[in-house]
Amino acid sequence: MTMMTPAPLDQQQQEDEEMLVPHSDLVEGPQPMEVAQVEPASTVDSQPVEDPPTMKFTWTIENFTRLNIKKHYSDMFVVGGYKWRILIFPKGNNVDYLSMYLDVADSGTLPYGWSRYAHFSLAVVNQIHTKYSIRKDTQHQFNARESDWGFTSFMPLGDLYDPSRGYLVNDTVVVEAEVAVRKVLDYWSYDSKKETGYVGLKNQGATCYMNSLLQTLYHIPYFRKAVYHMPTTENDMPSGSIPLALQSLFYKLQYNDSSVATKELTKSFGWDTYDSFMQHDVQELNRVLCEKLEDKMKGTVVEGTIQQLFEGHHMNYIECINVDYKSTRKESFYDLQLDVKGCRDVYASFDKYVEVERLEGDNKYHAEEHGLQDAKKGVLFIDFPPVLQLQLKRFEYDFMRDTMVKINDRYEFPLQLDLDRENGKYLSPESDKSVRNLYTLHSVLVHSGGVHGGHYYAFIRPTLSDQWYKFDDERVTKEDVKRALEEQYGGEEELPQTNPGFNNTPFKFTKYSNAYMLVYIRDSDKDKIICNVDEKDIAEHLRIRLKKEQGEKEDKRKYKAQAHLYTIIKVARDVDLTEQIGRDIYFDLVDHDKVRNFRIEKQKPFNLFKEDVAKEFGIPVQFQRFWIWAKRQNHTYRPNRPLTPQEETQSVGQLREVSNKTHNAELKLFLEVEFGPDLRPIPPPVKTKEDILLFFKLYEPEKQELRFVGRFFVKSSSKPAEILGKLNQLAGFTPDEEIELYEEIKFEPCIMCEHLDKKTSFRLSQIEDGDIICFQKSTPLESEEECKYPDVPSFLEYVHNRQVVHFRSLEKPKEEDFSLELSKLHTYDDVVEKLARQIGLEDPTKIRLTAHNCYSQQPKPQPIKFRGVEHLTDMLVHYNQSSDILYYEVLDIPLPELQGLKNLKVAFHHATKDEVVIHNIRLPKQSTVGDVINVLKTKVELSHPNAELRLLEVFYHKIYKIFPYSEKIENINDQYWTLRAEEIPEEEKNLGPHDRLIHVYHFTKDTAQNQMQVQNFGEPFFLVIHEGETLAEVKERIQKKLQVPDEEFSKWKFAFLSLGRPEYLQDSDVVSSRFQRRDVYGAWEQYLGLEHSDNAPKRAYAANQNRHTYEKPVKIYN
């Protein structure tokens, strides 16, 4: 997989992606979600693999919250003879996530060209429940350019720094690394076609999920044949026609010698690069693609192919137990989703699929005229398709953690799958018993990595022989059955012991690579599906088109292969200078990429090349004189000297080496041709050391135009005054016109263009061959004011610094609003003033600008502060790249005033109504919480005029803090924590000496993996409990406060929770006796828990408001 720079992701998406990247302080935008995956050496020939050196390293980081540094390195550890260390960014590498990488500890001292390959995982250990430890794995070939690799968005900082989550205990964080070092293979020289007979697919950046699916579909020959038979015409374009794009792709997979690109296909889907970079769900893509093809096949000879191959049917039934009533519904499926969690293998999943559910008690079935009845509900299969696609549910939503998780449990699948087993237990009575549902495994699609990203590849046996192949993007390798089957079951693997003599317990680690989709082919349909597909199946126009493409590609390949035998000669002439100066370029003389170039064999004598030039330009050899260009120390590029007669006898290759020390394959020349009065070429004049070749540009201030007017020789001892008449003639001026002369010296990094004294000789003015003289009419002072750029230096300064900026409204960051021509030297004030004038705004200080992130193609997260940068260039530069985009917004108050304010998002909970209103409160940064409450009182509806308010910090459904009125708001964070405002109940104001104010939280229990885990939800609150008050009395007050109906409230359980462990209470228990301890970390660690099911709709402002991932669904637009 190649590493690509992605196109835009929205900010939320960007924050939530898991990223595998080399760490870089420079990268601010989203980085690719995939990394170049280099397989270990063993996969090439499937030779036996030595166990790679492996080690687990644990790093305990104390005083974690006091780490006041951007980067933090672990101690060094050695694996496979190499030195490693872990690198973390405790506050995130420009993201609100912990960033963590594996780093080559001695990369700075290693020899040139070093490289090492490792498969590794990084983890943050959950010190309360180890099963909630967060572990991510990847593999990488480390080298000087990428000496560290890992995860920029490892885990949200909000989770890490929350003491109740278990990752930060006693201000200590525990990090683990498991590293397996493998032998490096010469990855690039491997030839898939030669080794396996098959070719791979190129990765566009996060499209390996698509590549694995396409390879699987391609290797179902009946499907491929149907695609070839879809009608397309020679006028279709692949990028606009899915059938043609897929035909083209399949043809290339069949006949190419190297890997195939998928860009035409994704273009035919209507995907932009944004889509291509998003890792979609394979099942989703499979369904959408098949639906599209099914639609395109309608009315053609291949109509119905998709259904014939992939469509099966099942029957949903509900059957009453005590009365004669049965309801059935037939449904079709193209793939089946099978549970992985709780199932040991495919058969267990099918057993679960057809499991009978009893509908009884509160859950009785309403059977029309029979009313509510006990019933059984289930699914049975009417028929299975010839090609059975099984989607394994490796990704599930974890309600406890409010996030998607990947199930890495061991899950077995057989080479032969018998769905008629146990007397056809999966089949409905009306199924066709004459069809034998015995299937053979054809392909295994694998996902390696975590829930938010990773890598996809496929194991396929195209002809159902014993030989398996691994299709991993561009690379195809032969594999044995163990690799394709057992190694993709998932589960845990035991690491080999490092010290066999010692009695250490074997270390197990979770395998993050496992199967998530299986394709089986029914034995009775095998011969029909694994059919022969050859050129006869491909439309003639397609064959012609693709062979032509192949021919062109081959020509390009030959061109490249023979490049070392040739030199490119770029020949610039007067006509190029005339065409380019003042249009394409203003500085120097020519853009060499736009002049005529010749591809000449290096062995060819230069004199023979001159004959080619004579044919091309119609200039006889004797009238040609060539000059070599030279790059000067001031970075300008000028003709330096003519070629000598002796040099012209040399070969082109020798000449290129003389003229060019940089070893590129180009020779740049200027062709000097002189013309007589009859405009016919004449021999070039004899050049002595005294003769200097000068080039002349004319500037016309009133038109603001600069153009090339010619070149001629001058004597170095002569003076500029002697050539004024000739210059006037070139310009078309009268012979006695007063003109001013300037020498264009350089333009990088700044303009240097100096007035030339007409009375000083060229030699004394240090004028030499290839110099440029700019001239213009002498302008009287009064006309200088009329012209914006009255002289050559001011015009060149303007050209050098002018910058067209594309402005976009920050609200619509994808749409260009308008463009303004500005100067790179404009100050912050100049830019906002010109922008204000453009949009008709009187006060420029109300404009706020935001710079553009060149990597993500999005606005940067932080706006530009008022006068926070000096010049326009500072606004446009993004690390080593420069952009021409700025975003603007119009504020309701001046920016300097706004910068002195703090914006807080406060959720106000009404005392009597069940409603929450979000208020944005803007106050000076030095304000206090008391000021926030005073402003809030003017905005909200109070239950009575004298009501008092308080501000709370709520996080994950727990109250962590009541803010004192005197606390400054500057450091309050409303991004991770919800700020909640509420009225203080009267009973809390009059607490007696033995009354206690306790925390009350809602919770549910999850008993996954035999460990009880408490999960809080809903709105936490305070409650006053009185001395001697029983639970029964407290329950009564809680029910009244929450207004819960009796029937529902009767199901609630009540518990005292300390450090996450519930102790259930009886109605007679005295509640206050439990809340006596003072040595807990915070009040939220002891609370009264209300255990019941969470059936309330999720509120939009929930504490983890910025942690949800919104995945864009797969769409194929054409």
Side-chain angles (χ1 to χ4, degrees):
M1 291 169 54
T2 49
M3 180 164 179
M4 308 279 288
T5 304
L9 296 175
D10 68 38
Q11 187 63 27
Q12 186 65 51
Q13 167 89 30
Q14 173 184 332
E15 288 173 359
D16 284 341
E17 297 296 4
E18 168 187 347
M19 294 177 248
L20 302 166
V21 288
H23 112 258
S24 163
D25 295 330
L26 305 181
V27 178
E28 185 180 286
Q31 301 101 353
M33 293 180 289
E34 295 183 359
V35 292
Q37 305 263 343
V38 183
E39 275 300 305
S42 60
T43 59
V44 179
D45 301 306
S46 293
Q47 68 261 40
V49 197
E50 290 175 33
D51 285 329
T54 305
M55 179 181 168
K56 179 182 173 190
F57 172 75
T58 303
W59 180 22
T60 303
I61 311 169
E62 295 174 348
N63 303 320
F64 189 79
T65 58
R66 291 184 221 155
L67 288 176
N68 200 18
I69 45 177
K70 189 175 183 190
K71 298 181 189 180
H72 189 39
Y73 287 96
S74 73
D75 290 341
M76 192 186 73
F77 57 97
V78 176
V79 186
Y82 298 132
K83 295 175 182 175
W84 306 91
R85 58 185 176 174
I86 304 170
L87 161 64
I88 65 164
F89 287 64
K91 300 288 190 297
N93 184 6
N94 294 317
V95 290
D96 293 329
Y97 286 73
L98 173 73
S99 304
M100 183 151 62
Y101 311 90
L102 181 66
D103 177 58
V104 174
D106 55 348
S107 60
T109 60
L110 291 171
Y112 177 78
W114 69 270
S115 174
R116 63 185 64 161
Y117 178 72
H119 191 160
F120 63 94
S121 71
L122 299 171
V124 174
V125 175
N126 190 304
Q127 298 166 61
I128 296 174
H129 296 293
T130 52
K131 72 164 185 164
Y132 289 111
S133 298
I134 295 175
R135 187 178 305 277
K136 297 182 180 180
D137 82 329
T138 182
Q139 46 201 336
H140 182 57
Q141 186 143 338
F142 293 83
N143 52 46
R145 203 164 48 87
E146 290 171 352
S147 62
D148 51 44
W149 197 257
F151 307 85
T152 295
S153 301
F154 188 84
M155 67 180 291
L157 293 176
D159 287 4
L160 179 64
Y161 283 91
D162 174 6
S164 72
R165 306 289 277 184
Y167 303 105
L168 181 67
V169 174
N170 298 327
D171 207 14
T172 297
V173 168
V174 178
V175 168
E176 287 179 353
E178 293 162 24
V179 183
V181 176
R182 293 188 167 147
K183 199 166 67 179
V184 179
L185 173 87
D186 184 3
Y187 182 76
W188 307 110
S189 64
Y190 179 77
D191 184 333
S192 292
K193 183 85 169 194
K194 190 172 151 194
E195 300 290 336
T196 66
Y198 300 105
V199 297
L201 289 167
K202 288 180 177 149
N203 191 306
Q204 284 187 53
T207 57
C208 51
Y209 69 97
M210 180 181 75
N211 289 355
S212 57
L213 176 67
L214 290 172
Q215 287 282 16
T216 304
L217 292 173
Y218 167 81
H219 285 292
I220 300 171
Y222 191 88
F223 178 85
R224 190 191 331 159
K225 200 170 198 141
V227 166
Y228 283 153
H229 283 271
M230 290 175 77
T232 53
T233 73
E234 57 202 57
N235 298 324
D236 290 348
M237 287 305 294
S239 56
S241 158
I242 293 173
L244 184 59
L246 205 53
Q247 287 173 349
S248 171
L249 184 87
F250 282 4
Y251 180 91
K252 289 171 186 172
L253 281 174
Q254 196 161 343
Y255 295 107
N256 263 27
D257 288 329
S258 58
S259 56
V260 179
T262 56
K263 277 193 179 150
E264 275 184 349
L265 184 67
T266 52
K267 273 186 189 165
S268 77
F269 290 172
W271 286 6
D272 51 20
T273 50
Y274 173 69
D275 288 288
S276 304
F277 277 101
M278 291 185 62
Q279 289 198 29
H280 292 303
D281 178 66
V282 174
Q283 179 188 15
E284 198 181 356
L285 174 67
N286 190 14
R287 284 185 177 172
V288 176
L289 179 59
C290 283
E291 278 168 20
K292 279 281 171 191
L293 288 174
E294 194 178 326
D295 189 48
K296 305 271 183 191
M297 286 177 177
K298 279 181 183 157
T300 75
V301 291
V302 287
E303 182 172 356
T305 300
I306 301 292
Q307 292 98 315
Q308 288 164 29
L309 278 178
F310 304 117
E311 189 178 47
H313 299 89
H314 49 52
M315 176 185 76
N316 293 297
Y317 67 86
I318 298 175
E319 189 173 357
C320 293
I321 294 167
N322 302 317
V323 295
D324 184 18
Y325 182 85
K326 188 174 183 179
S327 164
T328 60
R329 188 176 76 253
K330 181 179 176 180
E331 285 185 358
S332 68
F333 63 86
Y334 281 0
D335 54 34
L336 291 173
Q337 288 202 56
L338 299 184
D339 283 326
V340 169
K341 201 167 186 180
C343 299
R344 67 177 299 276
D345 61 13
V346 172
Y347 289 123
S349 298
F350 269 100
D351 292 347
K352 195 170 178 183
Y353 206 98
V354 300
E355 211 167 49
V356 178
E357 182 188 347
R358 304 278 296 202
L359 303 178
E360 52 196 11
D362 290 349
N363 197 24
K364 283 186 177 179
Y365 174 62
H366 190 278
E368 293 180 2
E369 69 270 16
H370 300 289
L372 290 174
Q373 291 288 332
D374 288 346
K376 50 186 189 179
K377 175 185 175 189
V379 176
L380 286 169
F381 291 91
I382 298 166
D383 55 64
F384 291 106
V387 179
L388 180 63
Q389 300 183 107
L390 303 179
Q391 302 282 348
L392 309 183
K393 286 155 81 171
R394 286 280 181 195
F395 299 96
E396 285 192 357
Y397 186 74
D398 185 330
F399 290 94
M400 293 290 296
R401 290 153 72 183
D402 187 24
T403 185
M404 291 296 288
V405 292
K406 185 178 175 195
I407 312 294
N408 289 303
D409 300 357
R410 182 177 175 87
Y411 181 88
E412 297 178 11
F413 45 91
L415 272 173
Q416 279 224 310
L417 179 67
D418 187 354
L419 295 177
D420 289 334
R421 74 189 198 119
E422 295 181 27
N423 297 321
K425 65 188 282 192
Y426 306 132
L427 297 166
S428 68
E430 62 263 45
S431 64
D432 182 354
K433 300 294 188 290
S434 68
V435 175
R436 178 75 175 96
N437 291 301
L438 185 65
Y439 285 84
T440 298
L441 185 62
H442 172 266
S443 37
V444 179
L445 279 74
V446 176
H447 176 264
S448 170
V451 68
H452 296 296
H455 184 51
Y456 293 87
Y457 46 91
F459 290 93
I460 303 171
R461 46 178 180 166
T463 61
L464 298 181
S465 70
D466 291 338
Q467 181 61 64
W468 286 86
Y469 297 89
K470 180 181 178 184
F471 292 84
D472 186 352
D473 285 338
E474 298 185 39
R475 189 177 171 82
V476 186
T477 50
K478 287 182 177 179
E479 302 293 348
D480 59 26
V481 67
K482 184 171 181 276
R483 266 276 164 96
L485 250 73
E486 290 165 45
E487 292 195 15
Q488 309 315 324
Y489 289 163
E492 290 185 327
E493 190 172 323
E494 218 171 86
L495 284 180
Q497 297 223 350
T498 44
N499 298 316
F502 292 88
N503 190 18
N504 22 356
T505 51
F507 176 69
K508 291 185 176 180
F509 70 96
T510 303
K511 291 163 73 175
Y512 291 90
S513 297
N514 36 52
Y516 71 95
M517 180 176 164
L518 307 170
V519 178
Y520 282 92
I521 291 177
R522 189 158 50 200
D523 284 9
S524 56
D525 295 291
K526 205 186 290 183
D527 293 340
K528 176 183 164 191
I529 288 162
I530 309 294
C531 57
N532 190 38
V533 184
D534 54 32
E535 284 218 342
K536 293 196 300 293
D537 293 298
I538 302 164
E540 190 184 6
H541 74 85
L542 187 66
R543 286 206 303 269
I544 292 166
R545 180 201 292 250
L546 295 173
K547 279 183 176 165
K548 186 181 169 198
E549 271 181 33
Q550 291 292 92
E552 287 168 0
K553 193 174 174 185
E554 184 58 22
D555 289 346
K556 271 188 192 170
R557 192 194 63 74
K558 280 182 185 165
Y559 184 94
K560 274 186 179 175
Q562 295 172 356
H564 65 288
L565 303 174
Y566 289 84
T567 290
I568 303 295
I569 303 181
K570 294 187 170 179
V571 178
R573 301 177 294 147
D574 290 338
V575 65
D576 297 309
L577 277 59
T578 306
E579 281 176 9
Q580 292 186 23
I581 293 169
R583 290 195 191 116
D584 303 335
I585 60 166
Y586 290 86
F587 305 102
D588 267 355
L589 293 170
V590 76
D591 176 352
H592 290 276
D593 289 336
K594 294 180 180 172
V595 303
R596 175 73 173 86
N597 62 66
F598 299 81
R599 186 171 187 250
I600 304 296
E601 285 181 58
K602 286 181 179 176
Q603 300 306 315
K604 190 169 191 169
F606 188 80
N607 280 327
L608 289 181
F609 163 67
K610 289 175 78 172
E611 291 176 11
D612 296 344
V613 173
K615 283 180 202 159
E616 178 72 21
F617 297 137
I619 306 291
V621 169
Q622 66 270 30
F623 303 139
Q624 300 172 17
R625 178 155 64 190
F626 287 93
W627 290 65
I628 286 179
W629 294 78
K631 190 169 190 177
R632 297 182 173 181
Q633 283 184 327
N634 63 12
H635 302 295
T636 57
Y637 209 62
R638 307 284 175 81
N640 184 42
R641 61 174 182 81
L643 288 177
T644 63
Q646 187 213 343
E647 284 174 330
E648 290 195 355
T649 63
Q650 294 179 348
S651 71
V652 165
Q654 288 171 309
L655 204 51
R656 200 268 304 160
E657 284 166 20
V658 169
S659 73
N660 189 342
K661 302 290 186 285
T662 56
H663 299 298
N664 67 14
E666 289 181 357
L667 172 60
K668 291 173 183 163
L669 299 172
F670 174 70
L671 174 58
E672 176 202 346
V673 180
E674 301 297 336
F675 293 92
D678 57 358
L679 299 182
R680 289 189 178 184
I682 56 173
V686 175
K687 178 181 174 349
T688 66
K689 283 187 179 177
E690 175 74 1
D691 296 306
I692 304 170
L693 180 62
L694 299 182
F695 294 80
F696 298 95
K697 298 178 185 178
L698 169 67
Y699 175 55
E700 297 176 86
E702 61 285 356
K703 294 183 187 172
Q704 287 183 30
E705 277 182 9
L706 182 76
R707 59 192 171 92
F708 175 69
V709 288
R711 56 165 177 78
F712 53 80
F713 286 96
V714 297
K715 298 289 184 189
S716 64
S717 55
S718 64
K719 297 172 182 172
E722 298 169 34
I723 62 166
L724 298 182
K726 200 165 182 180
L727 290 179
N728 279 331
Q729 187 183 345
L730 282 177
F733 297 158
T734 56
D736 54 353
E737 180 71 59
E738 279 286 312
I739 56 175
E740 296 301 321
L741 277 57
Y742 301 86
E743 184 194 357
E744 180 192 314
I745 300 168
K746 66 171 188 169
F747 56 93
E748 288 296 350
C750 54
I751 294 290
M752 195 168 176
C753 180
E754 293 183 351
H755 195 271
L756 197 61
D757 184 356
K758 297 174 197 166
K759 294 176 181 170
T760 305
S761 73
F762 288 110
R763 185 184 291 121
L764 286 175
S765 295
Q766 296 186 328
I767 301 295
E768 57 187 48
D769 279 320
D771 278 350
I772 299 169
I773 308 294
C774 301
F775 67 100
Q776 66 178 92
K777 287 182 183 178
S778 301
T779 49
L781 284 173
E782 61 272 15
S783 69
E784 276 196 21
E785 292 168 16
E786 293 167 22
C787 293
K788 206 169 180 184
Y789 307 107
D791 56 26
V792 173
S794 64
F795 175 71
L796 291 180
E797 196 71 53
Y798 151 69
V799 169
H800 186 251
N801 291 306
R802 71 178 167 189
Q803 173 73 56
V804 174
V805 179
H806 303 279
F807 284 94
R808 300 176 182 180
S809 163
L810 191 63
E811 289 176 359
K812 298 175 183 172
K814 294 278 181 289
E815 298 172 23
E816 187 171 327
D817 214 340
F818 52 84
S819 300
L820 291 179
E821 188 182 278
L822 304 173
S823 166
K824 291 173 188 169
L825 302 178
H826 274 158
T827 63
Y828 176 92
D829 287 355
D830 293 334
V831 174
V832 290
E833 276 166 27
K834 287 182 184 298
L835 180 54
R837 206 174 306 140
Q838 171 73 22
I839 61 176
L841 182 69
E842 280 185 26
D843 184 357
T845 64
K846 286 187 177 178
I847 287 176
R848 180 161 67 178
L849 298 171
T850 300
H852 179 69
N853 181 326
C854 298
Y855 297 102
S856 68
Q857 296 295 310
Q858 294 236 107
K860 287 190 184 178
Q862 298 301 322
I864 296 168
K865 290 187 173 169
F866 179 73
R867 293 179 183 161
V869 295
E870 281 192 43
H871 297 108
L872 175 64
T873 37
D874 304 316
M875 299 180 190
L876 298 177
V877 71
H878 181 221
Y879 302 119
N880 58 346
Q881 293 192 33
S882 187
S883 101
D884 59 356
I885 296 169
L886 281 177
Y887 304 88
Y888 73 94
E889 55 190 317
V890 178
L891 307 170
D892 55 345
I893 58 171
L895 181 56
E897 199 179 313
L898 177 67
Q899 284 177 190
L901 301 177
K902 169 88 173 178
N903 196 68
L904 287 181
K905 194 191 292 182
V906 179
F908 177 69
H909 289 237
H910 198 278
T912 54
K913 297 179 190 171
D914 185 22
E915 69 174 28
V916 176
V917 182
I918 306 284
H919 291 277
N920 280 306
I921 293 178
R922 207 156 62 183
L923 285 170
K925 287 178 181 173
Q926 296 311 306
S927 306
T928 62
V929 169
D931 298 325
V932 173
I933 283 167
N934 289 336
V935 171
L936 205 54
K937 281 180 178 175
T938 65
K939 294 185 169 206
V940 301
E941 183 190 337
L942 300 172
S943 61
H944 60 92
N946 300 323
E948 290 180 40
L949 300 183
R950 65 181 164 207
L951 191 65
L952 312 174
E953 180 183 277
V954 177
F955 187 64
Y956 279 100
H957 316 284
K958 294 181 181 181
I959 299 167
Y960 279 78
K961 183 174 183 177
I962 302 175
F963 288 100
Y965 276 30
S966 59
E967 183 165 335
K968 293 267 194 296
I969 66 170
E970 188 168 3
N971 296 320
I972 293 178
N973 185 337
D974 62 351
Q975 293 301 303
Y976 291 116
W977 296 270
T978 299
L979 300 181
R980 181 169 109 191
E982 63 186 21
E983 290 184 22
I984 302 173
E986 287 303 315
E987 65 167 0
E988 288 185 30
K989 296 179 189 172
N990 308 308
L991 286 179
H994 300 295
D995 293 340
R996 296 292 303 272
L997 187 66
I998 66 166
H999 293 237
V1000 185
Y1001 302 157
H1002 304 268
F1003 77 96
T1004 60
K1005 275 192 315 188
D1006 177 33
T1007 52
Q1009 297 177 23
N1010 302 320
Q1011 278 188 307
M1012 198 282 294
Q1013 176 83 358
V1014 165
Q1015 180 72 12
N1016 296 103
F1017 66 91
E1019 294 302 340
F1021 59 93
F1022 289 117
L1023 187 73
V1024 175
I1025 54 170
H1026 310 297
E1027 191 173 15
E1029 194 176 19
T1030 63
L1031 176 64
E1033 294 166 305
V1034 171
K1035 277 166 67 173
E1036 199 176 314
R1037 288 196 290 127
I1038 288 175
Q1039 184 177 2
K1040 188 178 174 187
K1041 180 183 176 75
L1042 299 180
Q1043 298 178 329
V1044 182
D1046 289 346
E1047 187 185 349
E1048 189 185 332
F1049 196 71
S1050 66
K1051 298 175 187 172
W1052 288 23
K1053 292 180 188 173
F1054 293 77
F1056 167 72
L1057 282 98
S1058 178
L1059 296 168
R1061 285 184 292 276
E1063 194 181 317
Y1064 289 93
L1065 303 175
Q1066 305 301 317
D1067 282 1
S1068 57
D1069 287 347
V1070 175
V1071 178
S1072 58
S1073 65
R1074 304 298 174 118
F1075 291 89
Q1076 300 299 327
R1077 289 179 56 200
R1078 301 283 182 187
D1079 60 345
V1080 288
Y1081 179 55
W1084 63 87
E1085 291 299 347
Q1086 284 192 348
Y1087 61 87
L1088 180 63
L1090 317 179
E1091 185 185 353
H1092 59 100
S1093 58
D1094 177 13
N1095 47 19
K1098 297 275 186 291
R1099 282 198 169 111
Y1101 73 90
N1104 52 355
Q1105 57 206 6
N1106 57 356
R1107 294 182 55 247
H1108 291 293
T1109 304
Y1110 297 99
E1111 276 210 13
K1112 192 175 173 187
V1114 175
K1115 286 183 189 154
I1116 297 178
Y1117 305 102
N1118 277 343

